[in-house]
Amino acid sequence: MTAYNPLTDSMGFLLGQTFRRVSYLTNLRFRSHDITAEQWILLLCLKERGSITQTELAEASGKDKTTVTRLLDNLERKGMVTKCADEADRRARLIDVTPKGRRTAEELVDVEKQVLDIAMSGLAPDEVAQLRALLVRIQRNVKAETDM
């Protein structure tokens, strides 16, 4: 029996490498729009949910609060989001997507889909569906253990 080698046998390592490569390609394609994939996710969440707090945005996007703060600062400088005090809780800040941010989020949907089409090329539709289902199950398993 061959010894386990985390660099070649670890599903976690493989998932991480795959994520980084898809993210890299996505960021290359997004570059002309002056936005990163991480920033785009925040715009999509805001576009879908409307004005929400940074804490709610962190939960919706699956990112930690520190990362969300950094990403929002960059998006605000680019004129894609606004921040204002929450009248219900003065300690909280409400975040909203601007028209420019909304347009950018919408324009990049097709670009991201093209990246995923490249990543999934050679896979049959039923294989893609199976991969999605398996990844969702893996996420649920990990979430149950980590409360993330």
Side-chain angles (χ1 to χ4, degrees):
M1 183 162 126
T2 308
Y4 173 77
N5 180 346
L7 293 176
T8 57
D9 301 329
S10 169
M11 290 296 287
F13 188 70
L14 181 60
L15 286 168
Q17 278 187 320
T18 304
F19 167 76
R20 283 186 293 280
R21 288 179 182 182
V22 171
S23 291
Y24 179 72
L25 181 56
T26 304
N27 284 323
L28 283 176
R29 300 292 170 95
F30 282 12
R31 188 175 289 165
S32 64
H33 294 270
D34 191 32
I35 194 168
T36 67
E38 280 193 306
Q39 293 169 343
W40 180 65
I41 293 296
L42 297 186
L43 292 179
L44 289 175
C45 290
L46 290 167
K47 182 177 162 285
E48 180 180 299
R49 295 171 186 251
S51 186
I52 57 176
T53 67
Q54 286 185 224
T55 300
E56 292 168 329
L57 183 56
E59 290 170 8
S61 65
K63 299 184 183 309
D64 64 75
K65 292 177 190 176
T66 304
T67 299
V68 168
T69 298
R70 175 181 52 81
L71 294 170
L72 286 174
D73 288 346
N74 288 328
L75 287 169
E76 187 177 34
R77 275 193 291 279
K78 295 174 185 184
M80 294 189 190
V81 300
T82 58
K83 300 178 193 174
C84 65
D86 183 352
E87 291 182 18
D89 180 358
R90 294 278 179 192
R91 298 167 297 163
R93 310 243 347 210
L94 286 175
I95 313 302
D96 209 352
V97 64
T98 65
K100 178 183 179 182
R102 183 176 300 279
R103 272 191 317 277
T104 301
E106 291 167 356
E107 289 170 3
L108 292 176
V109 169
D110 287 337
V111 176
E112 192 256 359
K113 178 146 179 13
Q114 291 168 2
V115 168
L116 292 179
D117 287 345
I118 291 167
M120 302 295 171
S121 66
L123 297 179
D126 62 321
E127 291 175 311
V128 173
Q130 183 179 20
L131 176 59
R132 179 184 306 281
L134 292 171
L135 289 171
V136 167
R137 283 174 47 196
I138 291 168
Q139 275 188 355
R140 281 190 199 131
N141 292 344
V142 174
K143 184 177 181 179
E145 291 294 320
T146 61
D147 214 32
M148 263 182 74

